[in-house]
Amino acid sequence: MTSTTTGIFDITGKRALVTGASRGIGRAIAIALAEAGAHVVAAARTEKALKETAALAADAPGQIDILATDLRTPESAEAAIHCAAETLGGLDILVNNAADDHDSSIEETDLKVYQRVMDLNLQSCWVMTKAASPYLKDGGGKVINIASVLGLVGMLDDSVYIAAKHGLIGLTKAVALEWARAGVQVNAIAPGFVDTAMIGNLKENEALQAYVKKKTPMGRAAQPEEYAGPTVFLASSASDFMTGQVLVVDGGYSTQ
Ligand SMILES: NC(=O)c1ccc[n+]([C@@H]2O[C@H](COP(=O)([O-])OP(=O)(O)OC[C@H]3O[C@@H](n4cnc5c(N)ncnc54)[C@H](OP(=O)(O)O)[C@@H]3O)[C@@H](O)[C@H]2O)c1
């Protein structure tokens, strides 16, 4: 363990896979890890947007390679782990970030939607964590699951997403225990409202802005870059004695 306060956040040479890194929070996390020195594979479906993510980290001490893949099928989720490990020469950090949302009441949600959201938001995280096991255990790794405050509390008309995010926090705790003695830490981050495509166009939607302001004690949505610090912390030796935890970064949303 490094003893200087700057050194403990240094992840130079660490090998990381970040899913959903073509925009939003995943893009901000991939860039932050590269800026902290990591070699990152950024995965998502849209190759052009992934190239933009990599270009944004062109001057970073680390670097970003890209992997265009759809993580909804278990085969492609598992293949993504092996492909990233081949590119990186191993894997130290897995950030399960890719997710989808579908806002509707349970009566208005059909099983196809349930399956589509679950396949990405929970199944892919389980499959990728399992496939990453031999790489992460080879030298002490970190899993960081991007959950949500909706993994801690409920909200109207979002039952599948909420079930998946509660499941992801459960997965975090379960695997943290299984791998604690192997030196692999498994933690989650729970964002509140974040200004990304997932919640819609915040800048041009006054009703949404008012809703976010009313619901969030800090009176605003987060910017994706506000998840850089928490993720680097969980990826670095600064968090070596922390596992199975949920780091809530929500502007006070869940304290109400
Ligand atoms: N925004 C919020 O208010 C908020 C709040 C709480 C938690 N979160 C969580 O934060 C994480 C990031 O969300 P975000 O707000 O940044 O969302 P976003 O802007 O919609 O980004 C989602 C990312 O996932 C990728 N993705 C979607 N479907 C995929 C698939 N089938 N295979 C591979 N990649 C796929 C997207 O890229 P492609 O389309 O190129 O595949 C994109 O890079 C999610 O886990 C979300 O649940 C967000």
Side-chain angles (χ1 to χ4, degrees), residues 20 22-23 25 45-46 70-71 97 99 147 161 165 192 194 196 199:
S22 62
R23 61 172 187 262
I25 297 171
R45 292 168 302 180
T46 317
D70 186 335
L71 297 169
N97 167 78
Y161 182 85
K165 292 298 185 182
V194 191
T196 70
I199 66 166

Side-chain angles (χ1 to χ4, degrees), residues 19-27 43-47 49-50 69-72 96-101 120-121 146-150 161 165 168 189-199 224 227:
T19 70
S22 62
R23 61 172 187 262
I25 297 171
R27 170 178 278 179
R45 292 168 302 180
T46 317
E47 190 169 352
L50 286 170
T69 182
D70 186 335
L71 297 169
R72 236 180 264 282
N96 285 314
N97 167 78
D100 203 357
D101 196 6
L120 181 64
N121 295 19
I146 308 303
S148 169
V149 285
L150 298 182
Y161 182 85
K165 292 298 185 182
L168 186 57
I189 293 175
F193 290 108
V194 191
D195 184 6
T196 70
M198 183 168 279
I199 66 166
Y227 295 88

